[in-house]
Amino acid sequence: MLAGHITAPGRIELIEVEEPRLPERTSHASLPGEIIFQPELACLCGSDIPFFEHSDEIPPPEIGHSLHEMIGRVVAANGSRFRPGERVLAVPVNQCGLFERFLVSEERAIPLDPRVPDEQAVLAQPLGTVIYALRKLPEIIDRVVAVVGQGPIGHLFNAALCNLGAREVVAIDRLASRVELSRATGATAVVCTDQQCPVEAVGRLTDERMADIVVEAVGHGDEAFNLCAELCGHAGRILYFGVPPVTIDGLRWRDVFFKNLTVHTSVNPDFGCDFPLAMRWIAEKRVNVAPLVTHRFPLSQIQTAFETFRDRREMTLKVLVDFPCGRSG
């Protein structure tokens, strides 16, 4: 079977590897079982790019890096939750999911909702991470929230915040092409930082009170922590969602200190709550994730898929990857 192998910075190939084997079930029935999962459709995430580029801030990529947002079918199971043939959303450990089939705990999978089209069901994974992050905040109803970064995650924050009753959702990004979509995903105001100062814009919108909550949805090499601190009003909250670099040079922590800000972080959602709730929101049309899908490639074009996503070509947001066994593969 095929697997992804990042052989150099910015270079990924498909290689042949051995099929996974399902272990025999032990006598400890209380322990979770495992499944062999066969991806049918996946999508790229910003956290896959550091592996693709051989970032010094993460361990060297392994075979199978990097893919973790995916839906597919259970091929074999030794537990009680799933049977062969069932379609599920599954999340591999450490983002090592670029295989035609792989072994994963049954606790890292949830059933698909038959009401949801595949290209939307796969987005329940990133939406679930957003829901998990927002559960850390004590109040959202009637709050002014600024979302810094209008990539796929930023747009999902717009939709979720709108759904949860925020008074204002201010979408902020330097790319005009990205904020053009923001109102369609739930933003009440948009700011392109190449055209206006975001601090001045949020100040005008709030009569200089600034935002109650600021979401950092950028991360990695383009993190925007200092901007988030500027956008926050006194005693506000920063929800730092974007994966940060190991260190942030020039961090203005005194701004955080004297404003009495609270900083929340978020990683590793709850499989029992967050992903199922995300799937339900999509199925019940509480949020519309369809506009986020902009590109789709077969697995055989994985190099082009990664380059398109990394380089933000042609107003790229979510890049889907069809596996050979999938309905469109």
Side-chain angles (χ1 to χ4, degrees):
M1 69 171 187
L2 295 175
H5 182 33
I6 298 171
T7 57
R11 181 63 189 172
I12 187 167
E13 299 176 0
L14 296 175
I15 63 172
E16 286 285 343
V17 297
E18 293 184 359
E19 291 279 353
R21 295 185 178 182
L22 187 69
E24 291 187 12
R25 186 71 166 140
T26 69
S27 59
H28 300 287
S30 60
L31 296 177
E34 294 178 289
I35 62 173
I36 292 179
F37 172 72
Q38 180 169 269
E40 296 177 348
L41 182 65
C43 60
L44 295 177
C45 170
S47 62
D48 296 319
I49 297 304
F51 290 102
F52 182 60
E53 295 183 330
H54 278 211
S55 169
D56 293 336
E57 297 185 338
I58 60 172
E62 305 171 21
I63 292 176
H65 274 135
S66 173
L67 210 58
H68 63 282
E69 299 178 2
M70 47 185 46
I71 61 172
R73 197 173 300 274
V74 177
V75 174
N78 63 14
S80 59
R81 289 192 62 192
F82 299 107
R83 294 178 296 179
E86 288 189 82
R87 301 188 74 232
V88 299
L89 178 153
V91 182
V93 174
N94 193 29
Q95 301 185 202
C96 279
L98 219 173
F99 294 92
E100 284 194 280
R101 284 164 292 282
F102 60 84
L103 191 68
V104 67
S105 168
E106 64 181 2
E107 291 190 331
R108 297 183 65 85
I110 67 164
L112 296 189
D113 189 311
R115 297 173 292 177
V116 181
D118 285 0
E119 62 272 14
Q120 296 182 33
V122 72
L123 297 184
Q125 195 282 337
L127 179 59
T129 66
V130 167
I131 290 173
Y132 174 69
L134 291 174
R135 286 202 289 121
K136 293 172 175 283
L137 301 176
E139 293 179 329
I140 294 175
I141 292 177
D142 201 35
R143 300 302 183 191
V144 175
V145 187
V147 181
V148 179
Q150 290 295 289
I153 288 295
H155 285 293
L156 290 173
F157 267 108
N158 298 345
L161 288 161
C162 179
N163 197 41
L164 293 172
R167 173 185 288 272
E168 302 283 354
V169 179
V170 186
I172 299 172
D173 200 286
R174 66 181 179 83
L175 296 178
S177 61
R178 291 199 161 184
V179 296
E180 286 175 4
L181 181 64
S182 300
R183 291 188 187 277
T185 57
T188 58
V190 300
V191 178
C192 175
T193 59
D194 277 353
Q195 299 173 3
Q196 58 181 316
C197 171
V199 178
E200 293 177 0
V202 172
R204 287 192 298 269
L205 180 69
T206 62
D207 293 327
E208 304 305 325
R209 292 188 300 272
M210 307 309 288
D212 302 303
I213 300 164
V214 181
V215 178
E216 205 283 5
V218 184
H220 298 299
D222 298 323
E223 63 78 25
F225 185 91
N226 287 338
L227 173 59
C228 292
E230 288 187 85
L231 294 171
C232 255
H234 183 77
R237 298 176 183 273
I238 297 174
L239 177 55
Y240 199 105
F241 184 92
V243 179
V246 174
T247 60
I248 299 177
D249 295 334
L251 177 68
R252 296 201 301 270
W253 192 253
R254 280 174 66 91
D255 293 354
V256 176
F257 180 81
F258 282 109
K259 279 188 172 183
N260 278 305
L261 304 184
T262 300
V263 179
H264 303 265
T265 60
S266 180
V267 71
N268 294 331
D270 185 338
F271 280 81
C273 171
D274 302 306
F275 296 132
L277 182 58
M279 188 73 71
R280 179 174 174 179
W281 276 15
I282 296 171
E284 295 176 353
K285 303 188 185 304
R286 299 194 208 181
V287 298
N288 180 17
V289 299
L292 302 187
V293 177
T294 57
H295 294 73
R296 193 163 182 166
F297 296 94
L299 180 63
S300 60
Q301 296 180 25
I302 190 66
Q303 176 71 31
T304 302
F306 265 94
E307 290 176 352
T308 301
F309 185 68
R310 178 197 61 192
D311 300 339
R312 300 173 180 172
R313 299 176 183 173
E314 303 166 358
M315 298 174 60
T316 304
L317 285 172
K318 270 302 185 185
V319 174
L320 303 188
V321 178
D322 283 295
F323 278 70
C325 64
R327 298 180 178 185
S328 300

PDB file of all heavy atoms in Angstrom, residues 48-82:
ATOM      1  N   ASP A  48       0.103  20.766   9.255  1.00  0.00           N
ATOM      2  CA  ASP A  48       0.832  19.808   8.419  1.00  0.00           C
ATOM      3  C   ASP A  48       2.031  20.449   7.729  1.00  0.00           C
ATOM      4  O   ASP A  48       2.990  19.760   7.358  1.00  0.00           O
ATOM      5  CB  ASP A  48      -0.096  19.215   7.342  1.00  0.00           C
ATOM      6  CG  ASP A  48      -1.236  18.391   7.919  1.00  0.00           C
ATOM      7  OD1 ASP A  48      -0.985  17.641   8.869  1.00  0.00           O
ATOM      8  OD2 ASP A  48      -2.367  18.520   7.410  1.00  0.00           O
ATOM      9  N   ILE A  49       1.984  21.757   7.539  1.00  0.00           N
ATOM     10  CA  ILE A  49       3.018  22.440   6.760  1.00  0.00           C
ATOM     11  C   ILE A  49       4.391  22.420   7.429  1.00  0.00           C
ATOM     12  O   ILE A  49       5.410  22.245   6.731  1.00  0.00           O
ATOM     13  CB  ILE A  49       2.571  23.872   6.424  1.00  0.00           C
ATOM     14  CG1 ILE A  49       1.319  23.837   5.551  1.00  0.00           C
ATOM     15  CG2 ILE A  49       3.679  24.633   5.718  1.00  0.00           C
ATOM     16  CD1 ILE A  49       1.469  23.036   4.253  1.00  0.00           C
ATOM     17  N   PRO A  50       4.516  22.581   8.757  1.00  0.00           N
ATOM     18  CA  PRO A  50       5.859  22.486   9.346  1.00  0.00           C
ATOM     19  C   PRO A  50       6.558  21.162   9.071  1.00  0.00           C
ATOM     20  O   PRO A  50       7.785  21.120   8.893  1.00  0.00           O
ATOM     21  CB  PRO A  50       5.600  22.680  10.845  1.00  0.00           C
ATOM     22  CG  PRO A  50       4.382  23.532  10.888  1.00  0.00           C
ATOM     23  CD  PRO A  50       3.527  23.044   9.744  1.00  0.00           C
ATOM     24  N   PHE A  51       5.803  20.057   9.007  1.00  0.00           N
ATOM     25  CA  PHE A  51       6.409  18.777   8.629  1.00  0.00           C
ATOM     26  C   PHE A  51       6.863  18.821   7.177  1.00  0.00           C
ATOM     27  O   PHE A  51       7.974  18.374   6.840  1.00  0.00           O
ATOM     28  CB  PHE A  51       5.417  17.637   8.833  1.00  0.00           C
ATOM     29  CG  PHE A  51       5.129  17.321  10.272  1.00  0.00           C
ATOM     30  CD1 PHE A  51       3.961  17.746  10.869  1.00  0.00           C
ATOM     31  CD2 PHE A  51       6.032  16.592  11.034  1.00  0.00           C
ATOM     32  CE1 PHE A  51       3.689  17.465  12.202  1.00  0.00           C
ATOM     33  CE2 PHE A  51       5.780  16.299  12.370  1.00  0.00           C
ATOM     34  CZ  PHE A  51       4.601  16.734  12.951  1.00  0.00           C
ATOM     35  N   PHE A  52       6.016  19.366   6.314  1.00  0.00           N
ATOM     36  CA  PHE A  52       6.331  19.441   4.885  1.00  0.00           C
ATOM     37  C   PHE A  52       7.584  20.282   4.644  1.00  0.00           C
ATOM     38  O   PHE A  52       8.391  19.982   3.758  1.00  0.00           O
ATOM     39  CB  PHE A  52       5.133  20.036   4.139  1.00  0.00           C
ATOM     40  CG  PHE A  52       5.291  20.139   2.651  1.00  0.00           C
ATOM     41  CD1 PHE A  52       5.508  19.009   1.873  1.00  0.00           C
ATOM     42  CD2 PHE A  52       5.201  21.372   2.022  1.00  0.00           C
ATOM     43  CE1 PHE A  52       5.634  19.107   0.495  1.00  0.00           C
ATOM     44  CE2 PHE A  52       5.324  21.483   0.643  1.00  0.00           C
ATOM     45  CZ  PHE A  52       5.549  20.352  -0.118  1.00  0.00           C
ATOM     46  N   GLU A  53       7.776  21.319   5.454  1.00  0.00           N
ATOM     47  CA  GLU A  53       8.907  22.219   5.259  1.00  0.00           C
ATOM     48  C   GLU A  53      10.122  21.866   6.121  1.00  0.00           C
ATOM     49  O   GLU A  53      11.106  22.600   6.121  1.00  0.00           O
ATOM     50  CB  GLU A  53       8.471  23.656   5.566  1.00  0.00           C
ATOM     51  CG  GLU A  53       7.421  24.185   4.594  1.00  0.00           C
ATOM     52  CD  GLU A  53       7.064  25.627   4.857  1.00  0.00           C
ATOM     53  OE1 GLU A  53       7.135  26.052   6.026  1.00  0.00           O
ATOM     54  OE2 GLU A  53       6.719  26.328   3.889  1.00  0.00           O
ATOM     55  N   HIS A  54      10.042  20.768   6.884  1.00  0.00           N
ATOM     56  CA  HIS A  54      11.149  20.374   7.760  1.00  0.00           C
ATOM     57  C   HIS A  54      11.486  21.486   8.766  1.00  0.00           C
ATOM     58  O   HIS A  54      12.645  21.851   8.944  1.00  0.00           O
ATOM     59  CB  HIS A  54      12.395  20.027   6.952  1.00  0.00           C
ATOM     60  CG  HIS A  54      12.403  18.635   6.401  1.00  0.00           C
ATOM     61  ND1 HIS A  54      13.552  17.915   6.220  1.00  0.00           N
ATOM     62  CD2 HIS A  54      11.408  17.822   5.990  1.00  0.00           C
ATOM     63  CE1 HIS A  54      13.266  16.727   5.703  1.00  0.00           C
ATOM     64  NE2 HIS A  54      11.962  16.658   5.562  1.00  0.00           N
ATOM     65  N   SER A  55      10.468  22.011   9.430  1.00  0.00           N
ATOM     66  CA  SER A  55      10.703  23.073  10.403  1.00  0.00           C
ATOM     67  C   SER A  55      11.616  22.587  11.519  1.00  0.00           C
ATOM     68  O   SER A  55      11.508  21.451  11.993  1.00  0.00           O
ATOM     69  CB  SER A  55       9.368  23.543  10.999  1.00  0.00           C
ATOM     70  OG  SER A  55       9.579  24.374  12.116  1.00  0.00           O
ATOM     71  N   ASP A  56      12.520  23.463  11.960  1.00  0.00           N
ATOM     72  CA  ASP A  56      13.434  23.123  13.055  1.00  0.00           C
ATOM     73  C   ASP A  56      12.707  23.025  14.389  1.00  0.00           C
ATOM     74  O   ASP A  56      13.284  22.533  15.367  1.00  0.00           O
ATOM     75  CB  ASP A  56      14.539  24.183  13.172  1.00  0.00           C
ATOM     76  CG  ASP A  56      15.478  24.176  11.973  1.00  0.00           C
ATOM     77  OD1 ASP A  56      15.574  23.123  11.323  1.00  0.00           O
ATOM     78  OD2 ASP A  56      16.092  25.224  11.707  1.00  0.00           O
ATOM     79  N   GLU A  57      11.457  23.478  14.446  1.00  0.00           N
ATOM     80  CA  GLU A  57      10.742  23.527  15.722  1.00  0.00           C
ATOM     81  C   GLU A  57       9.938  22.261  16.011  1.00  0.00           C
ATOM     82  O   GLU A  57       9.267  22.179  17.029  1.00  0.00           O
ATOM     83  CB  GLU A  57       9.832  24.751  15.747  1.00  0.00           C
ATOM     84  CG  GLU A  57      10.627  26.057  15.672  1.00  0.00           C
ATOM     85  CD  GLU A  57       9.745  27.267  15.829  1.00  0.00           C
ATOM     86  OE1 GLU A  57       8.542  27.143  15.574  1.00  0.00           O
ATOM     87  OE2 GLU A  57      10.259  28.331  16.216  1.00  0.00           O
ATOM     88  N   ILE A  58       9.991  21.300  15.127  1.00  0.00           N
ATOM     89  CA  ILE A  58       9.297  20.035  15.349  1.00  0.00           C
ATOM     90  C   ILE A  58      10.261  18.898  15.046  1.00  0.00           C
ATOM     91  O   ILE A  58      11.276  19.093  14.376  1.00  0.00           O
ATOM     92  CB  ILE A  58       8.039  19.912  14.458  1.00  0.00           C
ATOM     93  CG1 ILE A  58       8.428  19.982  12.975  1.00  0.00           C
ATOM     94  CG2 ILE A  58       7.004  20.959  14.818  1.00  0.00           C
ATOM     95  CD1 ILE A  58       7.294  19.673  12.056  1.00  0.00           C
ATOM     96  N   PRO A  59       9.969  17.680  15.536  1.00  0.00           N
ATOM     97  CA  PRO A  59      10.831  16.536  15.219  1.00  0.00           C
ATOM     98  C   PRO A  59      10.847  16.263  13.717  1.00  0.00           C
ATOM     99  O   PRO A  59       9.926  16.655  12.987  1.00  0.00           O
ATOM    100  CB  PRO A  59      10.169  15.377  15.986  1.00  0.00           C
ATOM    101  CG  PRO A  59       9.331  16.017  17.029  1.00  0.00           C
ATOM    102  CD  PRO A  59       8.866  17.319  16.458  1.00  0.00           C
ATOM    103  N   PRO A  60      11.892  15.598  13.218  1.00  0.00           N
ATOM    104  CA  PRO A  60      11.941  15.259  11.783  1.00  0.00           C
ATOM    105  C   PRO A  60      10.707  14.457  11.375  1.00  0.00           C
ATOM    106  O   PRO A  60      10.194  13.645  12.155  1.00  0.00           O
ATOM    107  CB  PRO A  60      13.217  14.417  11.662  1.00  0.00           C
ATOM    108  CG  PRO A  60      14.050  14.816  12.836  1.00  0.00           C
ATOM    109  CD  PRO A  60      13.086  15.132  13.938  1.00  0.00           C
ATOM    110  N   PRO A  61      10.195  14.684  10.171  1.00  0.00           N
ATOM    111  CA  PRO A  61       9.010  13.952   9.735  1.00  0.00           C
ATOM    112  C   PRO A  61       9.269  12.456   9.623  1.00  0.00           C
ATOM    113  O   PRO A  61      10.369  12.021   9.281  1.00  0.00           O
ATOM    114  CB  PRO A  61       8.695  14.565   8.369  1.00  0.00           C
ATOM    115  CG  PRO A  61       9.962  15.202   7.915  1.00  0.00           C
ATOM    116  CD  PRO A  61      10.676  15.624   9.151  1.00  0.00           C
ATOM    117  N   GLU A  62       8.233  11.681   9.942  1.00  0.00           N
ATOM    118  CA  GLU A  62       8.276  10.231   9.804  1.00  0.00           C
ATOM    119  C   GLU A  62       7.469   9.828   8.576  1.00  0.00           C
ATOM    120  O   GLU A  62       6.723  10.641   8.012  1.00  0.00           O
ATOM    121  CB  GLU A  62       7.666   9.567  11.054  1.00  0.00           C
ATOM    122  CG  GLU A  62       8.292   9.989  12.367  1.00  0.00           C
ATOM    123  CD  GLU A  62       7.498   9.457  13.551  1.00  0.00           C
ATOM    124  OE1 GLU A  62       6.739   8.477  13.368  1.00  0.00           O
ATOM    125  OE2 GLU A  62       7.619  10.025  14.649  1.00  0.00           O
ATOM    126  N   ILE A  63       7.589   8.590   8.176  1.00  0.00           N
ATOM    127  CA  ILE A  63       6.720   8.085   7.119  1.00  0.00           C
ATOM    128  C   ILE A  63       5.274   8.191   7.610  1.00  0.00           C
ATOM    129  O   ILE A  63       4.953   7.789   8.718  1.00  0.00           O
ATOM    130  CB  ILE A  63       7.076   6.629   6.766  1.00  0.00           C
ATOM    131  CG1 ILE A  63       8.463   6.588   6.101  1.00  0.00           C
ATOM    132  CG2 ILE A  63       6.027   6.018   5.832  1.00  0.00           C
ATOM    133  CD1 ILE A  63       8.950   5.193   5.808  1.00  0.00           C
ATOM    134  N   GLY A  64       4.428   8.755   6.780  1.00  0.00           N
ATOM    135  CA  GLY A  64       3.033   8.990   7.165  1.00  0.00           C
ATOM    136  C   GLY A  64       2.726  10.431   7.482  1.00  0.00           C
ATOM    137  O   GLY A  64       1.556  10.816   7.565  1.00  0.00           O
ATOM    138  N   HIS A  65       3.753  11.249   7.663  1.00  0.00           N
ATOM    139  CA  HIS A  65       3.519  12.683   7.851  1.00  0.00           C
ATOM    140  C   HIS A  65       3.290  13.348   6.496  1.00  0.00           C
ATOM    141  O   HIS A  65       3.935  13.013   5.516  1.00  0.00           O
ATOM    142  CB  HIS A  65       4.729  13.342   8.525  1.00  0.00           C
ATOM    143  CG  HIS A  65       4.711  13.278  10.013  1.00  0.00           C
ATOM    144  ND1 HIS A  65       5.825  12.938  10.754  1.00  0.00           N
ATOM    145  CD2 HIS A  65       3.719  13.508  10.915  1.00  0.00           C
ATOM    146  CE1 HIS A  65       5.529  12.972  12.044  1.00  0.00           C
ATOM    147  NE2 HIS A  65       4.248  13.305  12.163  1.00  0.00           N
ATOM    148  N   SER A  66       2.337  14.300   6.461  1.00  0.00           N
ATOM    149  CA  SER A  66       1.539  14.702   7.603  1.00  0.00           C
ATOM    150  C   SER A  66       0.111  14.878   7.124  1.00  0.00           C
ATOM    151  O   SER A  66      -0.155  15.627   6.195  1.00  0.00           O
ATOM    152  CB  SER A  66       2.084  15.998   8.192  1.00  0.00           C
ATOM    153  OG  SER A  66       1.251  16.499   9.204  1.00  0.00           O
ATOM    154  N   LEU A  67      -0.794  14.198   7.792  1.00  0.00           N
ATOM    155  CA  LEU A  67      -2.215  14.268   7.474  1.00  0.00           C
ATOM    156  C   LEU A  67      -2.980  13.780   8.699  1.00  0.00           C
ATOM    157  O   LEU A  67      -2.604  12.770   9.298  1.00  0.00           O
ATOM    158  CB  LEU A  67      -2.519  13.380   6.259  1.00  0.00           C
ATOM    159  CG  LEU A  67      -3.681  13.772   5.333  1.00  0.00           C
ATOM    160  CD1 LEU A  67      -3.497  15.171   4.758  1.00  0.00           C
ATOM    161  CD2 LEU A  67      -3.831  12.762   4.217  1.00  0.00           C
ATOM    162  N   HIS A  68      -4.056  14.498   9.067  1.00  0.00           N
ATOM    163  CA  HIS A  68      -4.812  14.055  10.245  1.00  0.00           C
ATOM    164  C   HIS A  68      -6.296  14.420  10.191  1.00  0.00           C
ATOM    165  O   HIS A  68      -7.056  14.027  11.072  1.00  0.00           O
ATOM    166  CB  HIS A  68      -4.198  14.630  11.527  1.00  0.00           C
ATOM    167  CG  HIS A  68      -4.240  16.133  11.598  1.00  0.00           C
ATOM    168  ND1 HIS A  68      -3.358  16.921  10.913  1.00  0.00           N
ATOM    169  CD2 HIS A  68      -5.056  16.972  12.269  1.00  0.00           C
ATOM    170  CE1 HIS A  68      -3.616  18.190  11.156  1.00  0.00           C
ATOM    171  NE2 HIS A  68      -4.653  18.253  11.965  1.00  0.00           N
ATOM    172  N   GLU A  69      -6.730  15.172   9.182  1.00  0.00           N
ATOM    173  CA  GLU A  69      -8.153  15.474   9.034  1.00  0.00           C
ATOM    174  C   GLU A  69      -8.690  14.557   7.947  1.00  0.00           C
ATOM    175  O   GLU A  69      -8.419  14.762   6.759  1.00  0.00           O
ATOM    176  CB  GLU A  69      -8.345  16.948   8.655  1.00  0.00           C
ATOM    177  CG  GLU A  69      -7.814  17.904   9.715  1.00  0.00           C
ATOM    178  CD  GLU A  69      -7.956  19.371   9.330  1.00  0.00           C
ATOM    179  OE1 GLU A  69      -8.499  19.651   8.242  1.00  0.00           O
ATOM    180  OE2 GLU A  69      -7.520  20.240  10.109  1.00  0.00           O
ATOM    181  N   MET A  70      -9.460  13.528   8.335  1.00  0.00           N
ATOM    182  CA  MET A  70      -9.821  12.527   7.339  1.00  0.00           C
ATOM    183  C   MET A  70     -11.059  11.718   7.745  1.00  0.00           C
ATOM    184  O   MET A  70     -11.354  11.549   8.929  1.00  0.00           O
ATOM    185  CB  MET A  70      -8.650  11.571   7.096  1.00  0.00           C
ATOM    186  CG  MET A  70      -8.009  11.041   8.359  1.00  0.00           C
ATOM    187  SD  MET A  70      -6.534  10.016   8.035  1.00  0.00           S
ATOM    188  CE  MET A  70      -5.662  11.004   6.848  1.00  0.00           C
ATOM    189  N   ILE A  71     -11.767  11.260   6.736  1.00  0.00           N
ATOM    190  CA  ILE A  71     -12.882  10.333   6.920  1.00  0.00           C
ATOM    191  C   ILE A  71     -12.618   9.113   6.055  1.00  0.00           C
ATOM    192  O   ILE A  71     -11.841   9.158   5.097  1.00  0.00           O
ATOM    193  CB  ILE A  71     -14.240  10.961   6.557  1.00  0.00           C
ATOM    194  CG1 ILE A  71     -14.262  11.376   5.078  1.00  0.00           C
ATOM    195  CG2 ILE A  71     -14.551  12.147   7.468  1.00  0.00           C
ATOM    196  CD1 ILE A  71     -15.625  11.827   4.595  1.00  0.00           C
ATOM    197  N   GLY A  72     -13.261   8.010   6.416  1.00  0.00           N
ATOM    198  CA  GLY A  72     -13.058   6.781   5.649  1.00  0.00           C
ATOM    199  C   GLY A  72     -13.845   5.634   6.229  1.00  0.00           C
ATOM    200  O   GLY A  72     -14.909   5.835   6.835  1.00  0.00           O
ATOM    201  N   ARG A  73     -13.293   4.440   6.103  1.00  0.00           N
ATOM    202  CA  ARG A  73     -14.036   3.228   6.440  1.00  0.00           C
ATOM    203  C   ARG A  73     -13.214   2.330   7.358  1.00  0.00           C
ATOM    204  O   ARG A  73     -11.989   2.259   7.253  1.00  0.00           O
ATOM    205  CB  ARG A  73     -14.381   2.475   5.153  1.00  0.00           C
ATOM    206  CG  ARG A  73     -15.471   1.429   5.288  1.00  0.00           C
ATOM    207  CD  ARG A  73     -15.849   0.882   3.915  1.00  0.00           C
ATOM    208  NE  ARG A  73     -16.348   1.920   3.018  1.00  0.00           N
ATOM    209  CZ  ARG A  73     -17.621   2.318   2.971  1.00  0.00           C
ATOM    210  NH1 ARG A  73     -18.508   1.763   3.779  1.00  0.00           N
ATOM    211  NH2 ARG A  73     -17.988   3.259   2.126  1.00  0.00           N
ATOM    212  N   VAL A  74     -13.908   1.652   8.259  1.00  0.00           N
ATOM    213  CA  VAL A  74     -13.287   0.652   9.119  1.00  0.00           C
ATOM    214  C   VAL A  74     -13.109  -0.630   8.307  1.00  0.00           C
ATOM    215  O   VAL A  74     -14.074  -1.184   7.778  1.00  0.00           O
ATOM    216  CB  VAL A  74     -14.150   0.381  10.365  1.00  0.00           C
ATOM    217  CG1 VAL A  74     -13.530  -0.728  11.221  1.00  0.00           C
ATOM    218  CG2 VAL A  74     -14.325   1.663  11.183  1.00  0.00           C
ATOM    219  N   VAL A  75     -11.873  -1.085   8.211  1.00  0.00           N
ATOM    220  CA  VAL A  75     -11.571  -2.319   7.473  1.00  0.00           C
ATOM    221  C   VAL A  75     -11.626  -3.522   8.401  1.00  0.00           C
ATOM    222  O   VAL A  75     -12.108  -4.604   8.023  1.00  0.00           O
ATOM    223  CB  VAL A  75     -10.177  -2.214   6.805  1.00  0.00           C
ATOM    224  CG1 VAL A  75      -9.775  -3.535   6.163  1.00  0.00           C
ATOM    225  CG2 VAL A  75     -10.178  -1.099   5.771  1.00  0.00           C
ATOM    226  N   ALA A  76     -11.134  -3.362   9.610  1.00  0.00           N
ATOM    227  CA  ALA A  76     -11.133  -4.443  10.601  1.00  0.00           C
ATOM    228  C   ALA A  76     -11.170  -3.812  11.984  1.00  0.00           C
ATOM    229  O   ALA A  76     -10.756  -2.660  12.172  1.00  0.00           O
ATOM    230  CB  ALA A  76      -9.887  -5.317  10.443  1.00  0.00           C
ATOM    231  N   ALA A  77     -11.679  -4.567  12.967  1.00  0.00           N
ATOM    232  CA  ALA A  77     -11.802  -4.035  14.325  1.00  0.00           C
ATOM    233  C   ALA A  77     -11.675  -5.175  15.321  1.00  0.00           C
ATOM    234  O   ALA A  77     -12.106  -6.299  15.058  1.00  0.00           O
ATOM    235  CB  ALA A  77     -13.141  -3.332  14.498  1.00  0.00           C
ATOM    236  N   ASN A  78     -11.086  -4.890  16.483  1.00  0.00           N
ATOM    237  CA  ASN A  78     -11.028  -5.897  17.541  1.00  0.00           C
ATOM    238  C   ASN A  78     -11.714  -5.417  18.814  1.00  0.00           C
ATOM    239  O   ASN A  78     -11.606  -6.049  19.865  1.00  0.00           O
ATOM    240  CB  ASN A  78      -9.580  -6.308  17.835  1.00  0.00           C
ATOM    241  CG  ASN A  78      -8.742  -5.156  18.365  1.00  0.00           C
ATOM    242  OD1 ASN A  78      -9.261  -4.109  18.756  1.00  0.00           O
ATOM    243  ND2 ASN A  78      -7.432  -5.347  18.386  1.00  0.00           N
ATOM    244  N   GLY A  79     -12.412  -4.278  18.728  1.00  0.00           N
ATOM    245  CA  GLY A  79     -13.136  -3.745  19.875  1.00  0.00           C
ATOM    246  C   GLY A  79     -14.635  -3.870  19.677  1.00  0.00           C
ATOM    247  O   GLY A  79     -15.110  -4.609  18.809  1.00  0.00           O
ATOM    248  N   SER A  80     -15.382  -3.116  20.476  1.00  0.00           N
ATOM    249  CA  SER A  80     -16.841  -3.225  20.449  1.00  0.00           C
ATOM    250  C   SER A  80     -17.541  -2.018  19.835  1.00  0.00           C
ATOM    251  O   SER A  80     -18.749  -2.061  19.603  1.00  0.00           O
ATOM    252  CB  SER A  80     -17.357  -3.414  21.879  1.00  0.00           C
ATOM    253  OG  SER A  80     -16.955  -2.315  22.708  1.00  0.00           O
ATOM    254  N   ARG A  81     -16.815  -0.945  19.540  1.00  0.00           N
ATOM    255  CA  ARG A  81     -17.462   0.279  19.085  1.00  0.00           C
ATOM    256  C   ARG A  81     -17.808   0.256  17.603  1.00  0.00           C
ATOM    257  O   ARG A  81     -18.821   0.832  17.179  1.00  0.00           O
ATOM    258  CB  ARG A  81     -16.576   1.492  19.375  1.00  0.00           C
ATOM    259  CG  ARG A  81     -16.466   1.855  20.840  1.00  0.00           C
ATOM    260  CD  ARG A  81     -15.812   3.224  20.991  1.00  0.00           C
ATOM    261  NE  ARG A  81     -16.610   4.262  20.355  1.00  0.00           N
ATOM    262  CZ  ARG A  81     -16.197   5.500  20.126  1.00  0.00           C
ATOM    263  NH1 ARG A  81     -14.955   5.838  20.462  1.00  0.00           N
ATOM    264  NH2 ARG A  81     -16.970   6.384  19.552  1.00  0.00           N
ATOM    265  N   PHE A  82     -16.965  -0.366  16.779  1.00  0.00           N
ATOM    266  CA  PHE A  82     -17.154  -0.312  15.335  1.00  0.00           C
ATOM    267  C   PHE A  82     -17.057  -1.696  14.703  1.00  0.00           C
ATOM    268  O   PHE A  82     -16.388  -2.584  15.237  1.00  0.00           O
ATOM    269  CB  PHE A  82     -16.102   0.609  14.698  1.00  0.00           C
ATOM    270  CG  PHE A  82     -16.155   2.027  15.174  1.00  0.00           C
ATOM    271  CD1 PHE A  82     -15.169   2.517  16.031  1.00  0.00           C
ATOM    272  CD2 PHE A  82     -17.174   2.876  14.792  1.00  0.00           C
ATOM    273  CE1 PHE A  82     -15.201   3.827  16.479  1.00  0.00           C
ATOM    274  CE2 PHE A  82     -17.225   4.190  15.239  1.00  0.00           C
ATOM    275  CZ  PHE A  82     -16.238   4.661  16.085  1.00  0.00           C
TER     276      PHE A  82
END
